Amino acid sequence: MNSCIFCDILTGKVKSTPVYQDDQVYAFTDVNPKAPVHVLIIPRQHVSSVMDVQAKDLPLFTALYSAAQKIAKDKGVDQNGFRLVINNGPDAGMAVHHLHLHLLAGRKLGWPPG
Ligand code: 5GP
Ligand code: ZN
């Protein structure tokens, strides 16, 4: 595997601001936030993209979405609303090739996204 910035965040080589963690998932604030609440939720296991997720990895998705629920409640945005985004591929602007959910909230989010 080539170097991966999110794997470096997981090892602590690159500093991050933790928001939530458990044995499968780590969540931290986005360094370049696009909303008042912008959290990245990643698996501890390196999975390159949503296209690499296999049926056997489905418990990982349960863990990621369960973390999202907890974070939304902790941040107090579960009632007003939030958006979960997975960018995949160049047209979606995917920049980091380690599966991640963006949790965006804290302002009215436009639809459709740009
Ligand atoms: P993507 O476009 O791949 O879906 O999103 C990658 C996200 O990772 C971007 O929102 C970007 O701001 C964030 N990001 C990239 N490098 C770092 C970093 O070193 N630390 C943190 N906290 N976020 C990062
Ligand atoms: Zn990685």
Side-chain angles (χ1 to χ4, degrees):
M1 185 184 75
N2 295 327
S3 66
C4 170
I5 186 83
F6 286 178
C7 283
D8 287 346
I9 281 176
L10 286 164
T11 62
K13 191 171 155 194
V14 171
K15 294 281 165 255
S16 63
T17 304
V19 171
Y20 171 84
Q21 48 194 315
D22 62 33
D23 58 338
Q24 292 190 86
V25 172
Y26 181 63
F28 54 101
T29 55
D30 196 295
V31 75
N32 183 15
K34 305 295 189 297
V37 176
H38 189 171
V39 177
L40 299 172
I41 307 169
I42 69 172
R44 291 189 182 277
Q45 166 197 344
H46 180 92
V47 177
S48 295
S49 85
V50 72
M51 295 304 287
D52 294 312
V53 176
Q54 300 169 18
K56 68 174 175 52
D57 302 320
L58 284 179
L60 193 59
F61 262 83
T62 306
L64 291 169
Y65 280 90
S66 169
Q69 287 180 338
K70 289 176 186 146
I71 293 163
K73 282 186 187 155
D74 283 353
K75 295 280 183 190
V77 299
D78 54 316
Q79 296 300 316
N80 277 357
F82 58 93
R83 185 168 292 160
L84 296 174
V85 175
I86 298 177
N87 293 319
N88 194 73
D91 277 2
M94 184 188 197
V96 177
H97 295 261
H98 180 131
L99 181 64
H100 51 283
L101 282 184
H102 295 256
L103 189 156
L104 296 149
R107 66 170 169 80
K108 192 86 179 162
L109 299 163
W111 189 263

